[in-house]
Each structure stands twice: as C-alpha cells, then as structure tokens.
Amino acid sequence: MKNPAKIFLLLFFLQFASFAQNNDICSYIKVLASDSLGGRKPGTAGGDMAAAYIQRQFSDDHLKLLFDKGFQYFDVVTDVELGDNNSLTFNDNGFNVRTDYIPYSFSKNTMLDAPCVFAGYGMTINKDSLKWDDYKDMDVKGKWVLVIRGDPEINKKISRFSDYSSDRSKMLNAKDHGAAGILLVAGMNMGKDDALVTLDYEKNHACADIAVINVSRNTADKILNSYGKTVKRLEHIIDSTMQPISFRLDGIIKANISIVQKKITTANVVAACMSEQPTDDYIVIGAHYDHLGMGGRTSGSRNPDTVAIHNGADDNASGTALMMWLAKHYSAVKLKGKYNIIFVAFSAEEMGLLGSSWFVGHLPAGKKNIKLMMNFDMVGRLNEHKALSVGGAGTFADAQRILKQDVDSTVLDLILSKEGYGPSDHATFYGDSIPVLYFNTGVHADYHLPSDDYDKINCKGVQTIAGFAVKVIDDICTSKYDLSYREAGPKNKSGNRTGLKVTLGIMPDFSLKDVQGVGVAAVNSEGPAQRGGMKKGDVIISVDGKAVNDIYEYMERLKTLSAGQLVTVEVMRGGKKEVLYIQL
C-alpha cells in the first residue's frame, strides 16, 4: 500500500464530508456504528474510514498526532486462498482440488512425491491404561501417511481418545514419526456427506512443517484400492476390534501445495495530550475500534452462517467514543498534573489483540514511562442495576482506593476484579507488567451479532461512565499514588479456561511474525515456566522433546502432559538454544 495515510484520509473525506463536528459521546458512537462503515473490519474500506474518522477528531481537537500523522501501521493476515498449480495424483489417478481434496490452511507449501502408508487413526498413545499405536513397526520417514479423522469412540459422549484425535494432533504425530505429508479422510462416523474442510484462516500465520491435505472418501478409496480395502471397511474393523491397523500401499502420491496468505495494512490511531507540567511519564487510554465486518465463518460472529453488517455499537464503538470524548475533554481543559496522556484506538483486537500487541512492542515512549493503561471495551449497555465492572483493581497498590473514593455510588455500582488479565487490549499491557484498569458494562444477548446496534446504547449511561473516568484520571494525575505494578492473577487465558489439564503459565506473544515457535510475552509469577527459568522474550520451539511450530501445536503438546510431570522445554533466547527443565 503506497502512502496509507492519504488513502485513509481520502476515504474519510469521500464518505464523511457532510458530517458535522461531533461533540458528545453518542454522536461518535452513531458514526462508528453506522452501516456506512460496514462493521469496521481491518483491511476493509469501512475499517479504514473508521481510522480516518478518529484521526480527524484527534486532529480537530489539537492533540499531538504520533507516529505517521496519528497512524501506527502494521500488517495482519486476514485470509488464505489457494495459489496456482495445486495438484494431487496417485499412480494414474488425478484428483481435482476443492472436489476430491483440499489442502489445510496451515499446510506447508511444498512439492512432494513419495510412497504412502495407511496409519489407521494416526494416533500414538501410551498413557496410564490407554495404549494405542498406529505407527507400530511402520517406517513412514519421508512418506505420506493416510489416516482416518476422529477416533474409534467418536460416537461416545466422552471419548478416551479426545486429546489425541484432532487433525492438528494427527499432523504433529505424523511429523514426529518422520512423515513428509499427511492425508486425512473423514470416516462414515464423522460425516456421511463426506464434506471437505473449508480453507479458513485460523488467525495464526505460522504453517506446519509437512504437507497436510484433506481428501474425500472416494479419493482415499482409490488410493486404498491396491490393498483391496475402503475407508468404510477399515473404519468398521478398527472400531469393532479396537485394534490399530496399518499397512504400506503400492504406488506414489504426487502433490503440489500452494497456499497464499492475504495480508492487509491496518493502523492503530494514536495521539497525545501533553500536560502543562513538563513530564516524561504517561497514562495510556485505549479502546479498540475494529469489529467483525460482515461476519461469516472465522469472523468471531456468534451467528457465523449469517452474512450481515455487524455494527458493533457496544463492541466497541462505545469504548472508542468514550476514549475520543476524553481526548476532546482534556485538550479543552488543558491537562494538568504529572502525567501526559496517550489516546489510542486499537485495530485488530477481534483478530487476537494484534493492534495492542503491536503498540506495546513499539511504544512511543519508554516502557518505564508508561505508568498505567485504562481500557474501555463495551461500556454502552449500563443496565438498571448501574453495574460497571472494573478489572485490574489489583495491578497497582492504590487502585481500589482510587476507584472507591471517586465513584458516586448513587449512579454507579462498581464490581471490582483484581485480575489484570481479561479478554481485551489491556491484557497485552498487563502481560508486559504495566498496571491496567479495564472498564466494561458486561456481555449481552447482542454480543458479536448483527443486532448490536446504536439504538440499544444507553447514552446517559456512557456519559455517566465518562464522568467517573474523568474523576479517576484527574485524581491520578494530581495526587500522590503508588502506581507501581503488582501481579494480580495469571497473564494468560488459562486458569484453567482452555480445557488443558496443565499449563506452563505464560502469555503467548501473538505479535511475532515469521517466527517458528511460540513467543513468550509474559511469565506468570510462581508458575511452572518461571520456576523452570523461562523468561519474557523466549521463543518456545519444543515441549517434551517434540517440536512446536505455532500456538496450535503448543496447545496440542500440552494436551498430552500431566500434572507433576517433569518435561524439557527448548527455547530460543538471544539467538541461542536453551534447554529448560520444568515441573508441571
């Protein structure tokens, strides 16, 4: 993209030239949640216009525009598509992409000509009383493996094999055994319609180290024909005997896989209001302005089969508008006190906190000078109970004291949470040991649906929250409080909310690009990783002697571990490999 700033601003002027100057929170919300912005998805015209609109307001309010005229650009992957020349053949049989087979979105781009081995369900398990090995006595090094998706107990409510039966788990097991590629086919128990997987981007730019293809049963049956078996027959035998079946196949599978990642440029919008009292210290006030666009699969919509504008009036036009109102307020009253304020509208929050991760990794001031981050996400639905949730109340010493003394309990009922982690952009700041406060009026029935519209916003309630925020900010800026960081709860999504039996106790770094492994953005105090010597900035490349290429592989590796187990974890640290011994 050449000169993105000019493009963003041109889009704004073309679309919003007729809009009058906005002076109140709900007028901001009305613009941001309008159909004209099409759901504010990063990389779309509506997302760019939202960024330009916010930048124009910052400029009109005479704030100091940071980075490139207020825009902090970064690239994100938004989708994947098939490249040219995808092909798959077995002996004399040629197959058609999308009908007979399709590569997985995380497959390695490669050309591979190799023999094939049928490896049952593709599982290797030696845990407690559960023993299963589809690779026993089979040499698959450099070969393709053909495996059935799911597991022998897929029809049971609770399967003993569930931790080992995902497609990614089978891919990892094939790779661990030296296979160069894997073909996955759905048995009759997984789906009689035999639908191929969809080529959907999984919000992770890393790719597998081997070729990964989903084939139809008809395609698999042609490959199995030399052995005189079908997928249906093999599935029945394995499931009824509960014994693995594996064998070598005659012939060569040739494949060319080409998956193209589609990247777009988006931007955080960043400006500063400088205190009249000279200071190098800052408070960051932020909110994410992006949303889900038109919805659809992988968008995060709770109705993924419906294509419609997801205006996100509450999520998070409300928080962005409140942040913009605070910027206007402090530019008008002249900021006084010991802190400057950085106002930032984050992009790509819905894609995995990408905008805030980029911001924290590329701060406009020294990290030691960022004293507090205040995040507003979904503050537009203050209910009849007047309940306002504030997270992070344990991340610095005087947080609860400030909040309780500044609130008017007749108009707001504070629900305080000490934990610093939460499902929004403040999590990246907390993960980098910066104190946070997270304001939210709660999830509702319209969350991540097209029905989250402007007419359901409680405008009076948003203004009440804004008034409370002003009291808190003024108090912090003009009084002597201890803002030193305190750890308050885990720095990651576990707790254990992931369903994993064990965790290392880290917060992954989603902002790293073109890195194989899992970056460590933060290490929980007294967690297994910290006890084992892991540090912020490490990149995990293997767990228990098995390679880790991305966050999905990391999660699959953890599934196979048990509490109390001593495991080796290899990390890259400062360009050198370190081996850590971690007790789970």
Side-chain angles (χ1 to χ4, degrees), residues 353-430:
L353 312 184
L354 300 184
S356 53
S357 294
W358 184 262
F359 182 84
V360 168
H362 304 81
L363 291 168
K367 179 192 163 185
K368 65 182 180 62
N369 298 114
I370 306 298
K371 300 302 182 181
L372 173 67
M373 190 273 179
M374 298 174 66
N375 183 34
F376 297 89
D377 192 350
M378 296 179 64
V379 290
R381 297 286 193 96
L382 192 67
N383 60 25
E384 65 275 14
H385 303 294
K386 303 174 183 177
L388 175 66
S389 171
V390 184
T395 62
F396 62 101
D398 288 325
Q400 293 193 53
R401 173 186 167 193
I402 295 166
L403 294 167
K404 290 178 180 179
Q405 72 187 17
D406 290 338
V407 71
D408 180 350
S409 59
T410 65
V411 295
L412 285 175
D413 180 16
L414 294 187
I415 301 172
L416 301 183
S417 169
K418 292 184 179 181
E419 285 200 6
Y421 181 82
S424 188
D425 290 303
H426 63 286
T428 56
F429 290 80
Y430 176 65

Side-chain angles (χ1 to χ4, degrees), residues 91-104:
N91 294 342
D92 296 330
N93 296 290
F95 304 109
N96 296 316
V97 69
R98 293 192 185 277
T99 54
D100 300 324
Y101 78 96
I102 193 162
Y104 280 76

Side-chain angles (χ1 to χ4, degrees), residues 13 19 29 50 83 105 109 184 196 263 337 352 384 388 507 530:
F13 285 119
F19 273 72
I29 297 175
S105 62
N109 283 336
L184 295 118
L196 296 174
K263 294 184 179 180
E384 65 275 14
L388 175 66
M507 179 177 179
Q530 187 187 66

Side-chain angles (χ1 to χ4, degrees), residues 188-360:
M188 295 296 292
N189 290 331
M190 178 163 275
K192 293 183 179 180
D193 61 352
D194 196 23
L196 296 174
V197 299
T198 55
L199 190 68
D200 291 329
Y201 177 57
E202 298 181 326
K203 299 184 180 180
N204 183 57
H205 61 269
C207 296
D209 289 333
I210 66 173
V212 190
I213 296 177
N214 177 215
V215 297
S216 68
R217 279 195 294 273
N218 183 57
T219 299
D221 287 346
K222 289 180 179 179
I223 296 171
L224 291 165
N225 185 55
S226 62
Y227 197 80
K229 291 289 189 292
T230 64
V231 174
K232 181 179 180 180
R233 180 60 180 160
L234 288 166
E235 179 187 40
H236 173 73
I237 294 172
I238 297 172
D239 291 2
S240 59
T241 63
M242 290 301 290
Q243 294 294 321
I245 296 178
S246 302
F247 50 83
R248 299 173 184 84
L249 291 161
D250 295 328
I252 298 294
I253 292 178
K254 299 180 180 181
N256 182 51
I257 300 174
S258 176
I259 304 294
V260 178
Q261 293 185 338
K262 297 173 67 175
K263 294 184 179 180
I264 57 93
T265 296
T266 186
N268 298 324
V269 189
V270 192
C273 186
M274 309 303 288
S275 175
E276 291 187 332
Q277 175 182 324
T279 176
D280 293 327
D281 294 333
Y282 293 84
I283 292 173
V284 174
I285 298 178
H288 76 90
Y289 71 89
D290 67 297
H291 198 51
L292 310 181
M294 298 297 293
R297 291 195 317 270
T298 75
S299 68
S301 173
R302 292 197 297 117
N303 194 353
D305 296 328
T306 297
V307 177
I309 298 175
H310 288 58
N311 282 319
D314 189 29
D315 185 16
N316 185 34
S318 65
T320 303
L322 194 154
M323 180 271 298
M324 293 166 66
W325 183 90
L326 289 172
K328 174 180 280 293
H329 170 81
Y330 283 106
S331 67
V333 301
K334 303 299 182 184
L335 184 62
K336 300 175 178 64
K338 53 182 137 183
Y339 302 115
N340 306 309
I341 302 178
I342 295 172
F343 295 95
V344 52
F346 300 111
S347 184
E349 187 266 1
E350 301 286 8
M351 301 173 71
L353 312 184
L354 300 184
S356 53
S357 294
W358 184 262
F359 182 84
V360 168

Side-chain angles (χ1 to χ4, degrees), residues 535-555:
K535 299 179 180 179
K536 177 181 180 295
D538 287 348
V539 177
I540 298 170
I541 59 174
S542 82
V543 173
D544 199 28
K546 298 176 181 178
V548 168
N549 194 50
D550 56 35
I551 186 65
Y552 296 103
E553 294 187 9
Y554 170 73
M555 300 288 279

